[in-house]
Amino acid sequence: MQSAPIKRTYLALENWFNYSFGSWNPLYHLGTLTIFFFWIVLVTGIYLFIFFHGSLDGAYASVERITHEQWYAAGIMRSLHRYASDAAIGCILLHMFREFALDRHHGARWYSWFTGVPLLWMVVTLGITGYWLVWDQLAQYIAIGSAHLMDALPIFFGSMTGNFLEGALSDRFFILIEFLHLLGQPMLLVFALWLHVRRLSNVNIHPPRGLAIGSLAALLALSLAKPAVSHGPADLSTVPQILNLDWFYLNIYPLLDYWSAGQVWMLAFGVTFLLLVLPWVPPRKKGAAAVVDLSHCDGCKQCFDDCPFDAISVQARTDGAPHEHEVVVDPVLCASCGICVGSCHYSNPFRKAETELKTGIDMPQLPAEEMRARTDAAIAELGGEVGIVIFGCEHGFDVTLLNSEDTRGIKLLCSGMLPPSFIDYALRKGADGVMIAGCRHADCYFRFGNRWMEQRLEGARNPILRKRVDRGRIVIQGGAETDRRVVESALARFRQQLSENGGKRREGKIADA
Amino acid sequence: MQTRKRYHIQAVNYLLFMALVGYFSSSPAYRHLEENQAKVVLAFSHFGQHVEPCRRVTPEELAKLPPNMRRPTECTRKRSPVTVELMMDGERLLYKVADPPGLFDDGGVDIYLDAVIPAGEHRFTVRMNDSVRVKGYNYSHEQAVTVVPGQLLFIDFDTDSGFVFK
């Protein structure tokens, strides 16, 4: 687990946005927002390319025309191009911070983190080549800085920096940079992005429409209020003195004034290395992977549909049972969330109590049988006026902290692990109400636990909660570890509601059972 | 009322987003060079001389060679390191000994040295040694230059013209 201060700081920030944005909270959509900003960059970039002249003498002049003569169209496009690129970097950095703060970068999720680190490099270098194209004093400064950096690497012969001395540069330089910025780097970026999300299922690449519109409007307003402009034209016989750096992309260059290029590389490689190994530092034991029991699997494929990490695949039946398919779990990809247990319609606690509860796919660390035993024990311990069982998640608010005379919390691996039939079971066994307290709404640690649970209760996703189950006796209230007040007040409201609707049913239920 | 408040806070968040992106996209300004400073760059590519002098091939030896391989001189591959030094107003400003690259030490060296200097009039002396068979410097050039703030004073070299201040 991450140290509490980092996590708590992040959760407080998230809370701030939750208040005003609700499920549109941009912190929940940082990945999709980044992609949205890249769409803006792509569209504006194509427009700008129409008017851009890629040559030593023409580049600066064409960008000036774009900025000033056609300020109402291409000028705004240029500003949008810059600001959307900057916003993308901001989103990427926040995205990384979030995954780290919430401890979502290790175990089976190392892959997404690991493949995300080179993406940051690619985006930054894409931005840098973009700034070169303007060929103003800033471009001159970063071109020479970049050449210094390249010269320090033992992979190039000759001095690249020497190319940026007066008389040495030619239009071929622009052909190279144009190729990189317009084709080579974006294509590589798309491929790397595909790799980045390869081990995730149901990948969404679009932010909520309202958030997208709001962000675009904000960038547009910024473009009008503060249009992006160039420095003076590049002049290789002078040295730029004052530079308005884009700190999102060009923050490494000033270091070259204080350190050698080798030291700057060491810093960059060192930070990159640390980021790359972060999923394994400190080493942690991976949770046990889900296990398929073919004798209780009819190959319905629901777990395959529900797995957030693409760890389950479907293949032809191998055990001779009269079903078309069976599922297979890849233990390397399995994040040990247990959502598949909640998906399996064999995870039914109403089976005979004297026989072990077997299900088609189970978690060795918390089998369905153990879930049923804990549910039975919790109900047996309930006292007071209105008995409530709370099913919580290991990564959200600790529901056992709410244990009292009339309340018992049961921690699961994820709230999505709970098969809906367990809710029915708890109510019929004597609980007056069932509360499901997973992670914060729209922010499931395992991506889809909250969502799948809501859909199962709504009857929109299998296995559904039976229609006859009184929905008035069920409440879903997500919460992070810092949300005790929120969960407690929801619990108090729920208790009040149950009491008004005739609590005290528990004893009757026990008698029925 | 509650919804209205939420929208207001949302607007504040968007403004904050605009302010952050707008500010850090070009601020704070970075001063790369102080107002009264300039930069001197000593940069050129050059092959050091062969460590051993080239030998003139005798007509008899040439005759034994296939026609396409008949070169009048024969040289060993290894070249000398190149040493350069730039003095400004009697003080050493830049200095480098560049070993020839390549498996056989036979490549040309690329020199790129730079330094920030105060603007004003300076007397520069630039020297180079490119042969282990010569003691001291075998190329030297001295020149007074008035450097203006922000100028990039580029000192180039080629074998024919020697050092050139640009």
Side-chain angles (χ1 to χ4, degrees), chain B:
Chain B
M1 185 63 195
Q2 196 71 1
T3 312
R4 214 166 149 183
K5 192 178 167 190
R6 284 182 58 195
Y7 281 128
H8 283 157
I9 296 177
Q10 218 176 89
V12 170
N13 286 331
Y14 278 121
L15 283 173
L16 207 64
F17 165 67
M18 287 165 60
L20 281 173
V21 170
Y23 181 74
F24 287 109
S25 71
S26 57
S27 308
Y30 174 68
R31 182 172 270 286
H32 175 50
L33 214 58
E34 293 300 326
E35 226 167 272
N36 60 341
Q37 288 181 326
K39 197 177 245 186
V40 58
V41 173
L42 173 60
F44 57 90
S45 298
H46 182 65
F47 281 90
Q49 293 183 34
H50 292 285
V51 169
E52 289 171 23
C54 295
R55 184 178 68 86
R56 183 157 285 282
V57 182
T58 62
E60 292 75 27
E61 285 173 321
L62 273 180
K64 285 180 193 167
L65 292 170
N68 63 324
M69 294 179 73
R70 288 175 187 165
R71 283 191 299 186
T73 52
E74 187 185 87
C75 304
T76 53
R77 294 184 69 170
K78 193 168 180 176
R79 288 179 179 271
S80 302
V82 174
T83 304
V84 285
E85 182 182 49
L86 177 68
M87 309 282 286
M88 185 179 82
D89 302 327
E91 302 262 324
R92 179 187 274 177
L93 189 65
L94 297 169
Y95 177 79
K96 185 171 185 176
V97 180
D99 290 321
L103 284 176
F104 300 97
D105 297 336
D106 59 344
V109 298
D110 290 294
I111 301 285
Y112 187 99
L113 298 169
D114 61 4
V116 173
I117 57 170
E121 189 175 344
H122 299 288
R123 174 153 289 278
F124 294 96
T125 307
V126 57
R127 297 189 280 235
M128 179 175 77
N129 174 295
D130 65 353
S131 171
V132 290
R133 288 173 280 121
V134 177
K135 284 212 162 113
Y137 293 101
N138 48 346
Y139 293 93
S140 183
H141 179 81
E142 194 169 324
Q143 189 169 330
V145 181
T146 303
V147 184
V148 297
Q151 183 183 342
L152 190 144
L153 177 64
F154 170 33
I155 306 171
D156 197 2
F157 173 85
D158 73 66
T159 318
D160 296 333
S161 323
F163 286 103
V164 181
F165 284 62
K166 293 179 175 174

Side-chain angles (χ1 to χ4, degrees), chain A residues 11 89 117 157 178-179 187 196 209 274 285-286 325 369 395 446 469 471 490:
Chain A
L11 288 172
I89 281 284
V117 176
F157 292 108
E178 271 185 303
F179 168 78
M187 280 178 69
H196 181 54
R209 189 172 294 178
L274 281 179
K285 200 177 168 191
K286 189 177 178 286
H325 299 114
E369 169 68 12
H395 300 278
F446 290 116
V469 179
R471 264 55 177 183

Side-chain angles (χ1 to χ4, degrees), chain A residues 343-501:
Chain A
S343 307
C344 183
H345 59 90
Y346 277 86
S347 306
N348 187 339
F350 285 106
R351 293 197 188 173
K352 286 179 184 171
E354 58 270 19
T355 55
E356 191 186 347
L357 175 54
K358 289 274 192 182
T359 183
I361 189 162
D362 215 347
M363 301 307 295
Q365 60 273 56
L366 182 55
E369 169 68 12
E370 175 64 18
M371 279 167 63
R372 182 168 71 174
R374 289 187 192 180
T375 308
D376 287 339
I379 292 167
E381 287 165 12
L382 287 177
E385 291 269 314
V386 179
I388 298 173
V389 172
I390 310 175
F391 290 102
C393 137
E394 271 188 355
H395 300 278
F397 175 71
D398 182 356
V399 291
T400 59
L401 296 174
L402 299 173
N403 282 352
S404 66
E405 190 193 2
D406 60 358
T407 306
R408 279 290 177 274
I410 301 170
K411 270 207 278 190
L412 307 177
L413 304 178
C414 168
S415 63
M417 184 189 187
L418 185 70
S421 51
F422 268 72
I423 300 170
D424 192 6
Y425 179 80
L427 292 173
R428 290 181 67 185
K429 280 283 181 179
D432 290 302
V434 170
M435 185 178 195
I436 298 154
C439 302
R440 279 179 177 171
H441 180 73
D443 187 33
C444 173
Y445 182 85
F446 290 116
R447 301 184 67 222
F448 299 135
N450 284 348
R451 201 192 300 176
W452 292 171
M453 176 51 73
E454 282 168 18
Q455 291 180 3
R456 287 169 192 163
L457 299 196
E458 287 164 7
R461 190 175 197 89
N462 281 324
I464 61 167
L465 179 66
R466 286 183 184 184
K467 281 185 182 164
R468 66 165 192 217
V469 179
D470 183 358
R471 264 55 177 183
R473 297 191 172 273
I474 306 165
V475 70
I476 297 179
Q477 176 60 60
E481 64 181 49
T482 51
D483 292 337
R484 180 168 192 151
R485 226 169 34 183
V486 177
V487 181
E488 272 182 344
S489 60
L491 178 63
R493 284 196 305 274
F494 185 45
R495 188 178 286 122
Q496 177 69 26
Q497 176 194 319
L498 290 172
S499 181
E500 284 167 5
N501 292 348

Side-chain angles (χ1 to χ4, degrees), chain A residues 16 19-21 83 86 148 158-159 161 165 214 218 226 237-248 257, chain B residues 2 6 9-10 13-14 18 22 24-35 39 43 110 112 150 152 154:
Chain A
W16 163 259
Y19 179 71
S20 52
F21 285 94
Y83 294 138
D86 290 339
H148 270 308
S159 166
T161 318
L165 293 165
K226 191 188 174 217
S237 67
T238 64
V239 183
Q241 292 184 301
I242 296 178
L243 296 151
N244 295 311
L245 291 185
D246 181 336
W247 292 92
F248 291 99
D257 288 344
Chain B
Q2 196 71 1
R6 284 182 58 195
I9 296 177
Q10 218 176 89
N13 286 331
Y14 278 121
M18 287 165 60
F24 287 109
S25 71
S26 57
S27 308
Y30 174 68
R31 182 172 270 286
H32 175 50
L33 214 58
E34 293 300 326
E35 226 167 272
K39 197 177 245 186
D110 290 294
Y112 187 99
L152 190 144
F154 170 33

Side-chain angles (χ1 to χ4, degrees), chain A residues 172-192:
Chain A
R172 280 187 299 177
F173 159 75
F174 277 93
I175 295 169
L176 171 70
I177 299 300
E178 271 185 303
F179 168 78
L180 283 174
H181 188 71
L182 303 172
L183 197 65
Q185 290 176 304
M187 280 178 69
L188 202 61
L189 189 65
V190 170
F191 176 68

